[in-house]
Amino acid sequence: MNTATSCKLQAASEEDETGLPLVACRFELPPLAAYVHIPWCVRKCPYCDFNSHTSGPRLPEDDYVAALLADLDGDLGQVQGRELRSIFFGGGTPSLFSADALGRILDGIQRRVPFAADIEITLEANPGTFEQAKFRDYRALGINRLSIGVQSFQAAKLKALGRIHDGNEAIRAADMARTAGFDNFNLDLMHGLPEQSLEDALYDLRTAIAQQPTHISWYQLTLEPNTVFWNKPPRLPEDDTLWDIQEAGQRLLAEHGYAQYETSAYAQPGRQARHNLNYWTFGDFLGIGAGAHAKLSQPDGRILRSWKTRLPKDYLDPGKRFLAGSKALDIDELPFEFLMNALRLTEGVPAELFSQRTGLPLASLAKARQAAQARGLLASSPERLVATPQGQLFLNDLLQLFLD
C-alpha cells in the first residue's frame, strides 16, 4: 500500500487509539536538488568510506561528462516540472576536473532541468588540487559556493589522515577562494583525530575561524567499515577528551558567530548550506555519477530511493546500465526516514512538514512522540518536531523510539 492510498483510508473525523484526530494528510512534491558525483581522488584517505578511487595520470573527463548527462537523461521523468534549487559536486575530489569539464556538466544540466534564479551551486575542493586561475574559472561558471576539505591545519594530524596538503596550503586555499570572488565557502574540519588533545582541536578551530569562512562543518572522526582505519585502528582520544573537545569547540564557534544548526554544521547568519538543508528536510534530489544516490517522490505519493553503478569503469561502460538498484519506501519506514534527517536540525522542522513530505497523518507519530517527550528527548511542542539538547546528544536513542 503506497502513501497516497494510506491517506485515502483515513478520514479526518477519525481518531487514533490515543484520542488524537487523524488529520487528512497533505502530500506535496518537495523541492528538487541535484547531486553530481566525481569519484576520483589523488589518493584514498585511510578513514574514507565514500565511493572514491585513486586517479590515474589522466582523468577520462570527456567520457565521464557524456556519461553524466546520459545518466541524467534517464532520470528526467522524475523532475515533474520542478526547477533545481541547488547542485552539489561531491566526491572524490571534484576540483580535479577542469573548469571546462564542469562547465559542460552545468550547461548540460541546465538545458535539461531549469535552474532557480537563486540556485546554490557547491563544489567540493581539496587544498593542493587547484590554483588561483582554476578558482576564478569555477566562479565564472556560476559555481557560487565552495566546500574546502581541510580536516586539520597541523602537519602530524594531516599525515595521520593521509591528506596531501599541509596547513599553509589550507590557509592559501581560503585566501584564493576569496580572491576569486567566493563570498560563501565552507571549511570541513575533523576532531577526535589520532592522539589529538583538547589544545590541538581548539588550535584547528581557531585557525579555521581566522579564515572567515561563512560555514564550518566540524565533525568527529569515526572508524567506518571497509577503510584502512577500520582494519588498523589508530589511537583515538578517550571519551572524556572527546566530550571536552565537543563542549569547548561549540562554545568557541558560538562566540565567533557560528550558530549550530545541524549536528555537525555551524554557519554565520543566513549562510546555512541550502543543499544540505534540502536533505535534512526530506526534500528530493537527483543523483548522477558513479555510486550516486537519489531520493525522488512520485505524484501518487510513493517515495523512491535509487543508486547508480558504483565503479567508474562500469559506469563508463556503454554496455552497462547506470541504475544499479531502486527501492520504494514502505509506509512503516517513512517516519524513521523523515525524522532521521529532520531531527538532526537543532531547531527541528514544522510539524506539518511531516505530512507534506510523507503523505502520512501527523497523528501516526503520536505514541512515539509521547514516549520521546516523556524521556526528555523530544520537545513538547505541537507545532514543531525538534529534539531537546538531550535528544541531540542521544539522537540514535530518540530515533529508535520511532522504529518500535
Side-chain angles (χ1 to χ4, degrees):
M1 183 168 61
N2 65 39
T3 55
T5 304
S6 73
C7 289
K8 294 173 183 176
L9 291 178
Q10 304 191 49
S13 61
E14 292 178 341
E15 292 183 349
D16 72 358
E17 56 196 47
T18 68
L20 292 173
L22 285 168
V23 179
C25 22
R26 182 164 60 91
F27 177 78
E28 299 177 3
L29 282 176
L32 183 66
Y35 175 77
V36 182
H37 192 73
I38 310 292
W40 292 283
C41 282
V42 173
R43 182 169 62 198
K44 181 80 171 179
C45 296
Y47 59 85
C48 178
D49 69 335
F50 294 147
N51 183 33
S52 60
H53 305 266
T54 302
S55 61
R58 180 180 174 275
L59 290 174
E61 283 190 347
D62 292 343
D63 290 342
Y64 198 72
V65 170
L68 284 172
L69 298 179
D71 185 0
L72 179 58
D73 285 335
D75 290 344
L76 291 181
Q78 308 289 344
V79 173
Q80 305 290 346
R82 291 172 288 179
E83 60 185 15
L84 287 176
R85 303 284 188 89
S86 65
I87 299 173
F88 194 99
F89 287 91
T93 307
S95 54
L96 290 175
F97 264 36
S98 67
D100 176 71
L102 293 175
R104 282 183 282 134
I105 295 168
L106 283 172
D107 180 65
I109 295 174
Q110 189 169 21
R111 282 189 283 107
R112 291 162 171 82
V113 188
F115 287 7
D118 61 345
I119 188 171
E120 175 192 87
I121 304 177
T122 301
L123 178 79
E124 284 188 338
N126 286 338
T129 64
F130 48 74
E131 58 278 341
Q132 188 66 63
K134 215 173 184 183
F135 263 27
R136 285 197 304 267
D137 291 343
Y138 291 156
R139 187 67 189 90
L141 293 174
I143 295 170
N144 51 23
R145 185 175 182 272
L146 291 177
S147 183
I148 303 174
V150 171
Q151 315 312 353
S152 176
F153 292 92
Q154 299 171 71
K157 301 296 183 285
L158 289 166
K159 182 177 180 181
L161 293 174
R163 306 296 288 176
I164 65 171
H165 67 274
D166 59 31
N168 288 332
E169 283 180 306
I171 292 171
R172 284 197 298 273
D175 288 338
M176 284 192 287
R178 279 190 296 270
T179 301
F182 286 95
D183 63 355
N184 190 15
F185 68 93
N186 168 67
L187 293 183
D188 245 14
L189 201 64
M190 284 185 176
H191 61 89
L193 305 181
E195 301 187 12
Q196 187 180 50
S197 66
L198 171 61
E199 292 72 24
D200 288 337
L202 293 181
Y203 171 84
D204 274 347
L205 260 185
R206 290 191 185 100
T207 306
I209 291 167
Q211 310 318 309
Q212 300 180 317
T214 50
H215 189 286
I216 295 176
S217 296
W218 188 59
Y219 51 94
Q220 184 178 326
L221 171 65
T222 56
L223 305 185
E224 302 291 347
N226 303 314
T227 65
V228 172
F229 275 2
W230 180 265
N231 295 315
K232 297 180 179 179
R235 182 181 176 186
L236 300 181
E238 300 291 336
D239 286 346
D240 286 348
T241 301
L242 291 173
W243 181 254
D244 290 343
I245 289 172
Q246 186 74 31
E247 286 196 318
Q250 288 182 330
R251 284 196 302 270
L252 182 64
L253 286 160
E255 287 167 6
H256 287 84
Y258 292 91
Q260 183 182 18
Y261 69 99
E262 187 267 341
T263 303
S264 58
Y266 303 77
Q268 293 177 346
R271 294 296 195 167
Q272 295 90 343
R274 278 187 265 161
H275 188 83
N276 289 343
L277 281 174
N278 185 62
Y279 286 148
W280 297 322
T281 54
F282 215 48
D284 277 1
F285 52 94
L286 298 160
I288 59 172
H293 285 239
K295 178 251 173 185
L296 295 160
S297 303
Q298 310 300 301
D300 64 4
R302 289 177 303 132
I303 296 175
L304 302 180
R305 289 201 181 275
S306 62
W307 50 97
K308 302 297 173 63
T309 298
R310 188 172 186 276
L311 295 177
K313 67 178 181 64
D314 293 333
Y315 186 82
L316 291 170
D317 185 341
K320 296 186 177 179
R321 300 180 64 202
F322 295 119
L323 185 66
S326 64
K327 178 184 184 299
L329 296 179
D330 293 332
I331 288 176
D332 293 344
E333 297 177 285
L334 289 176
F336 180 82
E337 287 275 341
F338 177 88
L339 293 167
M340 179 177 60
N341 293 282
L343 293 181
R344 289 178 64 93
L345 295 168
T346 56
E347 295 186 1
V349 296
E352 64 181 6
L353 192 69
F354 175 74
S355 292
Q356 292 171 13
R357 295 287 192 265
T358 67
L360 296 175
L362 185 61
S364 64
L365 299 179
K367 293 179 72 173
R369 286 180 80 181
Q370 290 171 356
Q373 290 167 4
R375 291 179 56 178
L377 301 177
L378 195 71
S380 300
S381 169
E383 293 84 18
R384 296 193 71 79
L385 294 167
V386 55
T388 62
Q390 184 81 350
Q392 285 283 331
L393 289 175
F394 298 98
L395 192 56
N396 287 339
D397 292 340
L398 171 55
L399 291 171
Q400 186 64 40
L401 296 173
F402 293 90
L403 278 176
D404 295 338

